[in-house]
Amino acid sequence: MTTRITDPPQAQRFTLDSDSARRAVAAADLRALLMMVFHHTGDRYWLSPRFRPVNDVRLIAPEDAGLEDDVQQELRDMALQILSGSAEPVLTSPDDELLTEMMSVAIGRRVPAEYATMIREQIGFESPLTGIPDPTGSERATVSPDGLLPVLVVGAGESGIAISAMLADIGIDHLVIERQSGVGGTWRSTAYPGCGVDTPNHSYSYSFGPRYPWPRFFSARSEIQEYLETCADEFAVRERIQFNTSFVSATWQQDTSTWRVLVDHDGNQQTIEARYLVTAIGPFGAPQTPNIAGVSKFDGPIFHAAQWPEDLDVSGKSVAIVGTGASCMQIAPTIADQVSELTVLQRTPQWIRPIPRFHELINEDAQALLTQERYYSSWYRFIMIWRYGDGLLPTLRKDPDWPHPERSLNRINDRHREEMTEHIHEQLSGREDLIDKCVPDYPPYGKRILLDNGWYKMLTKPQVRLETGAIEQIESGGIRLHSGELVSADVIVLATGYDVSKNAAQLDIIGRENTTLAEAWTRGTGAHLGVTVPGFPNMFILQGPTTGLGHGGSAFFTSEVQSRYAVALMAEALVRDLATIEVKPAPFERYLARVDAEHENLVWTHPGMNPYYRNAFGSIRTVMPWRLVDYFQMMHRPDLDDFETTSNESNLSPASM
């Protein structure tokens, strides 16, 4: 049976046998267990100071929550009593005031009331579709007799799955086209050794649907791919996808107010007419290859990390990796013990955050509550969202009175610098040569923050070398440095990231007045709220410009809130019988001006660095300058006053939704 987004994230409750319950409670995170107990009892005793956890900002904090032994035992005893019984929970849907209080108790610090609506949705207490009008009475919500499709979605990755599930849930017919043979997007196509997520999986997942039994806190690519496959089946998304179908071009038809989309399916081109076009290809579709002379002269395999050959065996070989970003950080420790020699060529050192439990597995006892007890798993998700959410962003603001702007932004940012520098010295003790190469000279978080998965210890291995000399060219036997030295290699990996500036402009999309999206973005990418662009009616971009997450949070979060925004606008247009909906230039320009002004106060515009987030004109149009809660609130109630609309039958004046 197909799961609906409006269904609770999992079964209401379950009953364990006594031995299993005892083991599950013993392994539980007491913060989430405390909230579970309160839901089932409704007794405010459990919100008293006696049970309040200590505030612990570590991503994976100790499960005992800092509680005294006798307090832990009392809580566990009550949880066992609840799991052994059959009584229904007393509290199923706390109001905003109580939910805010519960959030504050759960993490041991005050949570502002403004988070209540976002968290209510993100932990599954309310459907993300709440408040969206029902469009099922509109004939235009279904495929017309002449084959006109209501919505065409390009891409079946995490965003494509999310919006397909939402569209289906409210009754809007649509088709998803996917160039690969299966779902997953980047997680399917990128399969280098060690590929995985650096966001805790209990927040790096959908707020809706069954809770998934993540085997670890930070899961490997194969596990995320399996999760996306499961979701595609659970929400019957797969049956709405046309696989092995590449997008060729899309052209706006002014006379019919539709998109004419040319696709290539298994070598045969076909045309699809659709009222709405949604691009869900994400920002990571274009690998960025450095312009190094001599690439064609290399005798062995040379490739971008995103295009790792499926049959490549590096055992006993000498491998050179160009770049020290996120992909190298995962590849190098994974292959270091397999190769005869590993050389990492670094241009700029990275700030790396220590995560002591990065590789830890989640045991079977802990999984029982996470996958089956609704309130426990919901609150565990909240804890992960909070720890990896908005807390970091205030520390990334420039303090104009800070006396050391060359090394940090403010007092807290400087403390983070000290802590991470201390971690480098500790991990590389006795290797001053490596320490000098590994301590960055720019403020922490100025580039994408990375997590220490064993990176520094890997650098100390005898077969591993960190090279900081500039590259001159590639030759048949390896990489020639400006110093004249040849770094010999059997295999060269270009771990040089993606060109995130293109985004949806990778696609050949022609809007009004015969202007392509690439031409519209000649002076830099930009979309209103990251989703809509003037001159491109009835089109929505998911994971678009200005919505990347550089301070924390989950890409699944942005996929959901953007999908909801687009679906809400399409549903409203269908209900109002609107032919077109197109963002006005004024709100579009105001939004981008706000983005640029906000970024001037944040770390990514620090003058001592040039992150890939910055475009050729000096603007930061990749990452989001807002807190997650700010962006959620911007997106939750789309305003038709921001849009020019035309009606199918009569002139309807725009109105706020």
Side-chain angles (χ1 to χ4, degrees):
M1 186 176 71
T2 301
T3 299
R4 297 192 64 189
I5 289 178
T6 48
D7 295 336
Q10 59 187 44
Q12 179 75 6
R13 195 161 74 83
F14 75 123
T15 302
L16 286 170
D17 64 73
S18 58
D19 287 341
S20 298
R22 189 172 294 105
R23 292 196 304 271
V25 168
D29 186 299
L30 295 189
R31 302 163 187 83
L33 197 70
L34 178 63
M35 293 299 104
M36 183 197 87
V37 166
F38 181 59
H39 274 282
H40 284 282
T41 66
D43 189 345
R44 291 189 59 84
Y45 170 68
W46 300 103
L47 300 185
S48 66
R50 171 176 171 78
F51 297 97
R52 181 164 293 227
V54 298
N55 177 29
D56 195 323
V57 298
R58 285 173 286 186
L59 283 186
I60 312 298
E63 284 77 4
D64 64 13
L67 299 176
E68 298 292 335
D69 290 347
D70 61 326
V71 177
Q72 293 183 40
Q73 192 59 52
E74 183 179 359
L75 176 57
R76 289 193 172 100
D77 288 345
M78 178 53 73
L80 279 172
Q81 184 178 327
I82 289 168
L83 294 174
S84 301
S86 58
E88 292 298 315
V90 171
L91 178 68
T92 57
S93 183
D95 62 22
D96 284 358
E97 182 178 357
L98 181 54
L99 182 62
T100 300
E101 182 182 2
M102 293 169 72
M103 290 190 288
S104 300
V105 170
I107 62 165
R109 58 168 292 181
R110 188 185 74 84
V111 174
E114 63 186 321
Y115 282 89
T117 302
M118 183 185 90
I119 295 301
R120 181 183 301 282
E121 188 175 297
Q122 279 295 303
I123 65 178
F125 287 175
E126 185 171 280
S127 165
L129 298 178
T130 301
I132 294 179
D134 180 1
T136 53
S138 170
E139 294 181 1
R140 292 176 173 83
T142 58
V143 178
S144 68
D146 60 358
L148 180 61
L149 185 70
V151 184
L152 178 68
V153 179
V154 183
E158 64 186 47
S159 294
I161 291 171
I163 197 165
S164 177
M166 290 185 187
L167 286 166
D169 217 317
I170 66 169
I172 300 179
D173 284 349
H174 62 282
L175 174 69
V176 182
I177 59 169
E178 169 55 52
R179 65 183 179 181
Q180 301 184 87
S181 60
V183 302
T186 300
W187 288 115
R188 182 180 185 86
S189 62
T190 306
Y192 57 74
C195 183
V197 72
D198 55 8
T199 303
N201 272 118
H202 295 90
S203 63
Y204 193 80
S205 49
Y206 299 119
S207 67
F208 50 84
R211 297 302 186 216
Y212 191 73
W214 295 109
R216 65 194 81 219
F217 297 110
F218 300 91
S219 292
R221 181 208 70 86
S222 59
E223 294 154 355
I224 300 165
Q225 174 63 24
E226 184 178 321
Y227 170 69
L228 293 172
E229 297 271 6
T230 300
C231 290
D233 291 332
E234 192 74 33
F235 293 98
V237 170
R238 195 184 303 277
E239 64 192 44
R240 297 186 287 273
I241 304 174
Q242 183 172 300
F243 292 109
N244 302 310
T245 302
S246 298
F247 177 98
V248 177
S249 65
T251 305
W252 175 250
Q253 307 298 301
Q254 190 68 31
D255 55 339
T256 59
S257 297
T258 59
W259 284 98
R260 180 170 296 165
V261 184
L262 184 64
V263 303
D264 187 301
H265 177 59
D266 286 334
N268 298 310
Q269 290 198 346
Q270 61 187 82
T271 300
I272 300 171
E273 292 275 347
R275 297 186 188 279
Y276 294 94
L277 175 65
V278 178
T279 73
I281 64 171
F284 300 120
Q288 186 161 267
T289 303
N291 185 21
I292 304 175
V295 169
S296 61
K297 297 179 180 179
F298 184 62
D299 287 340
I302 180 169
F303 50 86
H304 191 278
Q307 298 157 342
W308 192 281
E310 187 176 346
D311 58 350
L312 179 65
D313 183 3
V314 297
S315 300
K317 293 183 168 60
S318 59
V319 178
I321 304 179
V322 179
T324 51
S327 53
C328 177
M329 191 73 58
Q330 295 177 338
I331 294 168
T334 304
I335 68 171
D337 291 334
Q338 304 171 23
V339 302
S340 61
E341 184 178 14
L342 175 62
T343 304
V344 177
L345 293 103
Q346 171 184 281
R347 183 176 62 177
T348 307
Q350 303 277 7
W351 284 114
I352 301 173
R353 186 173 177 179
I355 304 291
R357 301 175 66 180
F358 186 86
H359 294 290
E360 189 172 314
L361 295 173
I362 300 173
N363 67 38
E364 186 176 330
D365 296 331
Q367 290 285 15
L369 293 176
L370 282 170
T371 56
Q372 299 182 62
E373 215 299 320
R374 178 184 183 188
Y375 297 106
Y376 179 87
S377 65
S378 290
W379 282 98
Y380 192 88
R381 177 176 168 86
F382 161 70
I383 291 162
M384 289 301 183
I385 288 172
W386 188 262
R387 288 193 189 133
Y388 208 72
D390 286 339
L392 181 63
L393 187 59
T395 74
L396 305 185
R397 300 190 73 83
K398 301 170 185 174
D399 178 355
D401 299 323
W402 178 245
H404 307 293
E406 74 287 353
R407 74 183 191 207
S408 53
L409 305 171
N410 52 53
R411 179 179 57 82
I412 297 177
N413 187 247
D414 202 52
R415 190 181 76 226
H416 289 170
R417 177 185 176 86
E418 290 174 356
E419 291 170 351
M420 285 187 274
T421 300
E422 182 179 336
H423 178 67
I424 294 172
H425 281 263
E426 177 186 285
Q427 294 290 302
L428 300 178
S429 178
R431 292 293 305 271
E432 294 300 321
D433 58 321
L434 286 176
I435 291 173
D436 290 342
K437 294 177 179 179
C438 289
V439 178
D441 61 359
Y442 56 87
Y445 305 100
K447 294 191 175 184
R448 179 181 174 181
I449 195 67
L450 302 174
L451 305 183
D452 188 2
N453 60 349
W455 171 261
Y456 292 120
K457 289 301 183 186
M458 180 270 302
L459 290 179
T460 65
K461 293 182 177 183
Q463 73 274 27
V464 178
R465 170 188 174 193
L466 180 64
E467 176 57 61
T468 58
I471 297 173
E472 180 175 322
Q473 62 185 25
I474 293 174
E475 301 178 2
S476 60
I479 300 174
R480 181 74 63 181
L481 304 180
H482 277 298
S483 65
E485 180 184 357
L486 179 69
V487 176
S488 299
D490 301 316
V491 178
I492 296 177
V493 182
L494 304 174
T496 48
Y498 297 84
D499 184 354
V500 296
S501 67
K502 288 187 172 65
N503 204 283
Q506 298 171 53
L507 305 177
D508 184 11
I509 301 175
I510 304 170
R512 283 194 302 101
E513 300 177 3
N514 207 36
T515 300
T516 68
L517 185 60
E519 289 168 342
W521 283 352
T522 301
R523 296 292 300 172
T525 58
H528 180 55
L529 300 175
V531 178
T532 56
V533 181
F536 295 84
N538 293 10
M539 188 182 85
F540 303 94
I541 302 169
L542 303 184
Q543 299 289 355
T546 75
T547 66
L549 294 170
H551 69 277
S554 160
F556 278 82
F557 168 84
T558 47
S559 290
E560 282 190 32
V561 297
Q562 291 166 8
S563 294
R564 185 198 185 280
Y565 179 86
V567 169
L569 283 168
M570 286 186 274
E572 187 73 17
L574 288 169
V575 168
R576 292 171 178 263
D577 200 24
L578 300 179
T580 63
I581 179 168
E582 177 185 348
V583 69
K584 299 173 183 175
F588 167 80
E589 295 293 346
R590 282 197 302 269
Y591 174 75
L592 292 183
R594 288 176 57 210
V595 167
D596 292 344
E598 191 68 13
H599 271 305
E600 283 302 314
N601 298 313
L602 295 172
V603 64
W604 300 294
T605 54
H606 187 274
M609 51 185 298
N610 187 29
Y612 72 84
Y613 300 146
R614 185 177 297 172
N615 64 23
F617 307 101
S619 299
I620 304 293
R621 293 289 177 81
T622 302
V623 293
M624 181 191 301
W626 322 115
R627 296 178 303 166
L628 303 181
V629 69
D630 297 327
Y631 190 60
F632 178 88
Q633 291 169 351
M634 291 176 194
M635 303 294 285
H636 209 57
R637 287 188 175 273
D639 188 347
L640 275 181
D641 282 341
D642 290 339
F643 296 86
E644 295 284 356
T645 64
T646 61
S647 171
N648 283 300
E649 303 297 340
S650 60
N651 292 323
L652 295 178
S653 59
S656 295
M657 294 165 58

